[in-house]
Amino acid sequence: MSSASATAPAVLRPRKEARHRDLRRFLVQRLGTGVVLLVGITLVAFVVTHLVPGDPAAANLGQRAIGNPAAVAAFRHQYGLDRPLPVQYIVYLKDLLHGNLGISEQSHRPVLTDLSEYVPATIELALFAIVLSMLIGIALGIVAAVFRDRWLDQFIRIVSLAGVSMPVFWIALVAFYLLFFKLGWLPGGGRLDPTQNNPAHLTGLFTVDAALHGQWTLFWSALRHLILPGLVLAIYTVGMLTRFTRASMLEIMGNDYVRAARLKGLPERVIVLRHVLRPALVSIITVAGVAFGSLLSGTVLVENIFSWPGVGQYAYRSAINLDLPAIMGVSLFVALVYIVVNLIVDLLYGVIDPRIRLS
Amino acid sequence: MTVAAPAPLEPPATAVVDNARWRRLRPDTPLPWRRPLALAGLAIIGAWAVMALFAPLIAPDNPLAQNFATLRPPSGAHWFGTDELGRDVFSRVLFGARITLPLAVILVIAAMIIGAVLGGIAGFFGGWVDNLIMRIADLVFAFPGIILALAVAAALGPQLRNAVIAVIVVSWPAYARLVRSLVLSARSSQYVVASRLLGSSGLRVLFIDVRPNAAGPTLVLAALDIGNAVLLLSGLSFLGLGAQPPTAEWGAMVAEGAQNFSDWWVGMFPGLAILTVVLAFNFIGDTLRDMLDPRTARAVRV
Amino acid sequence: MGALLQVENLTVALPTRSGYQNAVDGVSFAVDAGEVMGIAGESGSGKTMTALSLFGLLPHGARTSGSIRLDGGELLDMNAKQLRAIRGRQIAMVSQDPATALHPILSIGTQMTEHMRHHLGVSKSEALTRAADLLGTVRIPDPEQALHSYPGQFSGGMRQRIAIAVALAAEPRLLVADEPTTALDVTVQAGILRLLDRLCRERGLAVIVITHDLGVMSATARRLCVMYAGRLAEAGPTSELLASPRHPYTRGLLDALPHPEAGGAPLVPIGGSPPSLGRVPAGCPFHPRCRYAQPLCATERPEPKPISDLHLLACPPDPLRAAS
């Protein structure tokens, strides 16, 4: 161990600088891999979508136009489909760097515009659902671990198994029917009531925007509209997180240092929260990252039922119609989310576990 | 000598394995009975298997037979009511089992074989083969399940067969990763090294020494995966990319239910069918995992 | 002076496949303040269970009987809350492997001050100051920096010192050290033992050292208890026991393990192996492996009897009497 001076400030300064340096290096490294991944995704998405049996022309032109070779040729030319594949890819990349993701074949608008409309809606929904899932899931997992093998644990286990066994599109329907149609407790669709106007645009997340502008009725309305789809989406991830939290905590509880904490006479609450939960959070956060991905999956199935104007619906329509630019756009979005989520997870690792920070 | 009360203990489990709970059962209680969940799961699957097998005999009506009694609520004549074309929902649910159950099992077996072979190759040969296979697996993993399945199914055309292919494409990486890591850890384990030193060829080692150890976790993954497969398959059908009308498939039936949401029975029962099947497989898979995990295995076996 | 810790006829029964079996069977000993006592035995001898029973942290379903009196108070009668008040504050334990016994992601400062503050109610800054002092006492260089560091940044020997400091943070009267040097390099062991010795003298701390390593015993413990299959085989002053043991098992241990008093004689292992829980032979548990065994050893359970002022022996035939 180095023998620095004993006065606190002098010791703190070099440590903080070192930490910032490490963080910077870490971020740069991560961004580098992220860019590589993005390029990889574009390549794969490009190859897959351009080599499949389906014909975009057939999907997007009417039946009569298909029979007309001139119309098909015009369509192909307009979307650059008549050029050699590698050239198409280079063109695509070039456009990408200029922020041009192409024109959607269904909406005839720039894909970027489409995405900028739909992405915030889905992000808001997914964020709401993941926060909800983590709060409920981790709490249930802790309870299950603490009351291991007693009836509460068994009950939570069944509930979480049920959660991951439920078809999300079905429970969405059930929730819609019960809570909106029959009981009228919550709104049945859309992000706001039909008569309300969107809040002033800042992030695209209605709750955030409304709150930032002090438009509290809009805020509550947006929140109420989030609850039903958010809850439905969260069911699967709550199940996931509960099981992982429980397993993670039980594994940690078997460790010597937990017994050592008991030997110190610390109250049980401190032991569970500080000695067991903290190390468990590392794997829990990992699972939360995966859970976020599965939430995005869920949006495809759920946005339709709740008339939520998000990427899920857009992805579905694009796939059905073989709208290649749109599909590529969605792929890029998915890849971006994956990278950002991984980055956040890695950063959180560093916060929770000093061993990672220092290595 | 004072005989004290049982030593005061902390309410939650201490560091040592908790065997006390199982003490309540007599030591000779057969193993399956100690896990009521797995038992329930097996019973449910068994019931569905029987129903699927004998559907043509049990079902009151032809699942494709339309009549004028459209959207009738559950009654004596139609236990689950009728859908928008007057078809008996109960019969359709029964026949749906004949589609979903076999397909899900076949699907998982296919994904397991493909994934295990690829993973085994990757783990065994290493080098660029390993890299290539794993990069592809990672890429597939990065995509949220249904979005990728969606893309593949849409590209191939909306057909049940293509939906099955799509789900296989999405599922194989998990097996590849598992088998690869098992092969890697087995390669460096003592008994394999000893076997190689004794002259066994690589392939022999793979099949005789590695396979038994790899089989367990892989099968557990498969058991847990069947539930997932059912969810993905019915999800794709729900979106219209799997089973096409008039096929009675559960996911497609829930989609129909969404169109007629005020007639709750149309979507409710097929969805419940999916739920029970997936839940049953998850019960079984969960117990299997407990049994194979050395940490929790003792609590089950003792 | 009255003993700080008085254990009488302690029996710990653990649930197994074949019913409850005694891991600790009728063990009695006492420890005074300012003394180091050793408990020696192989794995499975019940020494760790004995230690854990002092803290009331036995496995689920364990049953204890007998008496454990700490400063007069009966530990076996205490409820969970009372025991929590005792743990760390009156008695503390240093576990075998400092690499796993210290929490990997909590700072040393936190690990030292959390129970200090809980038991003694001192403020955070006061606690940190005391912690730094303690680290200095156990000879950790640069205590201020160490408080903000993590166990992974220290070597094995340092970690054990820190573990000892953590154990002492709430100022306990009795320290239980379970195999304190087993996980450490030989070169580092001596330092740890000297530290324990010093702490004992300087603070009037009572120390129980549990180990299978007789070399460690001869270096630190003033008195020694030898355990076999959960029972006491022999107990007495360390020097006497190691120089002229009276129990065949102790003799066997000395012949089988290297230690300073052996003087370079070849090692002779004891034939057979220690009995596992539930397979303890009737009568004297050691008799199947004992070369002096007599017929009565298979039927009569030996009780520890005093053979001199401080020396107890649980071996009625006493075959080694002539040798002493």
Side-chain angles (χ1 to χ4, degrees), chain C residues 8-283:
Chain C
E8 251 168 80
N9 220 343
L10 176 66
T11 301
V12 176
L14 296 180
T16 67
R17 275 183 124 133
S18 33
Y20 273 88
Q21 305 292 345
N22 289 344
V24 179
D25 201 342
V27 168
S28 305
F29 59 86
V31 187
D32 293 327
E35 116 174 295
V36 179
M37 195 196 80
I39 298 184
E42 299 162 283
S43 17
S45 56
K47 36 192 223 294
T48 306
M49 283 297 149
T50 307
L52 288 179
S53 64
L54 298 178
F55 294 84
L57 278 181
L58 292 165
H60 267 289
R63 297 210 189 118
T64 37
S65 66
S67 156
I68 304 179
R69 303 186 84 86
L70 180 71
D71 224 0
E74 174 60 62
L75 293 184
L76 293 183
D77 284 339
M78 293 190 184
N79 61 31
K81 189 161 169 212
Q82 292 167 312
L83 280 175
R84 266 203 295 273
I86 300 238
R87 288 183 207 136
R89 178 72 182 99
Q90 306 287 347
I91 45 176
M93 179 141 138
V94 178
S95 304
Q96 177 166 333
D97 187 358
T100 56
L102 289 173
H103 200 292
I105 70 178
L106 291 178
S107 72
I108 305 287
T110 309
Q111 297 192 48
M112 287 194 67
T113 55
E114 57 179 348
H115 57 302
M116 194 197 289
R117 296 183 62 197
H118 173 75
H119 288 297
L120 304 176
V122 296
S123 71
K124 187 163 177 183
S125 50
E126 169 69 24
L128 284 171
T129 316
R130 293 197 197 185
D133 279 342
L134 259 177
L135 286 178
T137 308
V138 298
R139 308 265 202 266
I140 298 286
D142 198 359
E144 304 279 343
Q145 175 81 303
L147 284 177
H148 297 290
S149 311
Y150 295 87
Q153 298 169 274
F154 295 93
S155 69
M158 299 268 235
R159 275 199 286 253
Q160 192 64 301
R161 289 170 185 270
I162 293 174
I164 294 174
V166 169
L168 295 177
E171 294 170 11
R173 320 266 300 282
L174 169 68
L175 180 68
V176 178
D178 190 358
E179 307 275 7
T181 53
T182 308
L184 303 174
D185 285 340
V186 169
T187 48
V188 171
Q189 287 179 7
I192 299 293
L193 295 176
R194 271 201 300 272
L195 172 62
L196 285 175
D197 192 48
R198 184 162 54 87
L199 289 168
C200 172
R201 277 183 289 113
E202 284 174 8
R203 289 162 177 250
L205 198 59
V207 178
I208 299 180
V209 176
I210 302 176
T211 179
H212 63 273
D213 186 342
L214 293 176
V216 168
M217 289 303 194
S218 65
T220 44
R222 190 159 65 81
R223 281 191 307 119
L224 184 56
C225 293
V226 178
M227 281 182 71
Y228 184 80
R231 303 197 201 152
L232 201 56
E234 192 175 1
T238 311
S239 46
E240 206 176 299
L241 244 72
L242 295 185
S244 41
R246 293 283 281 272
H247 196 289
Y249 177 58
T250 318
R251 174 85 262 165
L253 269 185
L254 281 168
D255 290 340
L257 300 169
H259 66 101
E261 272 78 6
L267 302 176
V268 179
I270 312 175
S273 49
S276 51
L277 200 60
R279 288 171 201 253
V280 177

Side-chain angles (χ1 to χ4, degrees), chain B residues 189-281:
Chain B
S189 73
Q190 307 280 33
Y191 63 90
V192 169
V193 171
S195 186
R196 293 305 293 270
L197 286 175
L198 288 172
S200 305
S201 80
L203 225 49
R204 182 188 158 86
V205 166
L206 200 57
F207 273 103
I208 297 189
D209 294 315
V210 174
R211 198 167 48 99
N213 267 20
T218 314
L219 285 173
V220 172
L221 186 61
L224 286 168
D225 212 22
I226 300 187
N228 244 5
V230 169
L231 285 177
L232 275 174
L233 207 55
S234 52
L236 284 175
S237 299
F238 171 79
L239 291 173
L241 290 169
Q244 296 299 307
T247 317
E249 197 271 349
W250 291 339
M253 289 169 72
V254 177
E256 213 197 281
Q259 303 290 346
N260 305 286
F261 63 83
S262 52
D263 302 306
W264 58 271
W265 56 90
V266 181
M268 174 67 145
F269 292 110
L272 267 179
I274 302 175
L275 173 59
T276 51
V277 166
V278 178
L279 197 60
F281 277 115

Side-chain angles (χ1 to χ4, degrees), chain A residues 118-130 168-169 172 226 229-230 232-234 236-237 291-317 330 333-334 337, chain B residues 144-147 150 235 238-239:
Chain A
Y118 298 132
V119 162
T122 300
I123 294 285
E124 187 178 26
L125 186 56
L127 278 178
F128 179 77
I130 194 75
V168 65
F169 50 90
L226 267 176
V232 161
L233 271 182
Y236 183 86
T237 41
F292 196 76
S294 91
L295 278 178
L296 288 186
S297 273
T299 59
V300 174
L301 297 160
V302 154
E303 280 180 359
N304 206 320
I305 297 183
F306 292 107
S307 317
W308 198 267
V311 177
Q313 286 207 59
Y314 188 61
Y316 173 63
R317 287 199 306 268
V330 171
F333 165 68
V334 167
V337 166
Chain B
I146 203 133
I147 295 187
L150 182 60
F238 171 79
L239 291 173

